[in-house]
Amino acid sequence: MTVAPTPLGLALVGARGTGKSTVGRWIARAVSLPFIDADAALEAHYGRTIRAIFEDDGEPTFRDLEERTIASITAGPPVILATGGGVILREANRSALRRFGKVVWLRASPETLNRRLRADTRRSATRPALTSLGTLGEIEAVLQARTPLYRDLADWIVDTDAISPEEVAQVVLRTVARDWPVPLSLR
Ligand code: S3P
């Protein structure tokens, strides 16, 4: 499918393990827009891993750096943006993302997220724990707290439980083309 670039950006939000970065890369390729992973941009800019920031300075410091990163990316030209799972926690981020463009919430059940996070051994070694509840307990607690925020921010919601990241990207592209009907040539 060919979809032309948009004048606004497209941000992907959702919990860890919903495939935001993989899906974002597919979409960016399809619409010929640059792709930015906010967590990777933060780590590159500050020269530190997210895990090290959590361990050395704590989560509030990470959230401050995340807020600055989101402010800076969303003030720039349109891109396809994959955000960290907790980006929706701060109102400053939510309003920056609303100004930036459209927001897609990639949703998955706790069981799916648990399965994906356990399978992703490379990233689980570098992913800071957010609670002391263990993988499934943390997923359930975090989802319960964040679901209303994701829902409130999202322009579109895509369920990722039963489909691959490539299929999720196709669903997002079809949804954008259907519900955001600015003539493609003007985007
Ligand atoms: C976080 C999710 C991570 C990263 C940080 C905090 C969260 O991003 O921003 O470890 O609070 O859910 P991913 O969702 O890309 O793993």
Side-chain angles (χ1 to χ4, degrees):
M1 187 193 330
T2 311
V3 181
T6 67
L8 300 171
L10 189 70
L12 302 175
V13 301
R16 290 167 163 176
T18 46
K20 292 163 292 188
S21 303
T22 312
V23 169
R25 277 194 198 90
W26 277 101
I27 296 173
R29 220 173 291 134
V31 299
S32 303
L33 276 178
F35 168 74
I36 297 182
D37 180 315
D39 283 343
L42 185 156
E43 290 188 329
H45 184 77
Y46 294 103
R48 303 172 67 192
T49 64
I50 291 174
R51 189 189 181 102
I53 298 168
F54 265 74
E55 280 175 2
D56 298 344
D57 302 327
E59 183 173 346
T61 297
F62 168 72
R63 296 295 169 204
D64 289 342
L65 302 184
E66 180 177 52
E67 185 179 325
R68 280 188 227 161
T69 304
I70 293 294
S72 144
I73 295 169
T74 54
V79 293
I80 305 301
L81 174 62
T83 59
V87 76
I88 37 70
L89 293 172
R90 288 205 175 170
E91 171 53 32
N93 295 338
R94 299 196 297 270
S95 23
L97 292 174
R98 282 194 195 97
R99 283 194 302 274
F100 168 70
K102 297 286 186 180
V103 179
V104 182
W105 172 24
L106 301 186
R107 190 165 59 183
S109 69
E111 294 69 30
T112 300
L113 295 175
N114 189 35
R115 191 170 24 80
R116 289 186 191 152
L117 294 185
R118 282 173 178 278
D120 187 0
T121 46
R122 188 179 55 84
R123 280 208 64 204
S124 45
T126 58
R127 188 182 290 122
L130 302 171
T131 66
S132 52
L133 299 171
T135 310
L136 184 58
E138 175 167 303
I139 290 167
E140 286 170 342
V142 165
L143 273 188
Q144 192 175 8
R146 296 181 180 176
T147 291
L149 298 169
Y150 288 131
R151 182 172 292 120
D152 184 54
L153 180 63
D155 294 288
W156 300 301
I157 302 172
V158 176
D159 270 310
T160 71
D161 279 321
I163 54 178
S164 70
E166 187 181 354
E167 289 166 324
V168 174
Q170 295 298 329
V171 173
V172 173
L173 287 167
R174 275 200 298 276
T175 308
V176 169
R178 187 192 64 212
D179 292 347
W180 199 6
V182 179
L184 294 184
S185 57
L186 297 180
R187 288 185 183 182

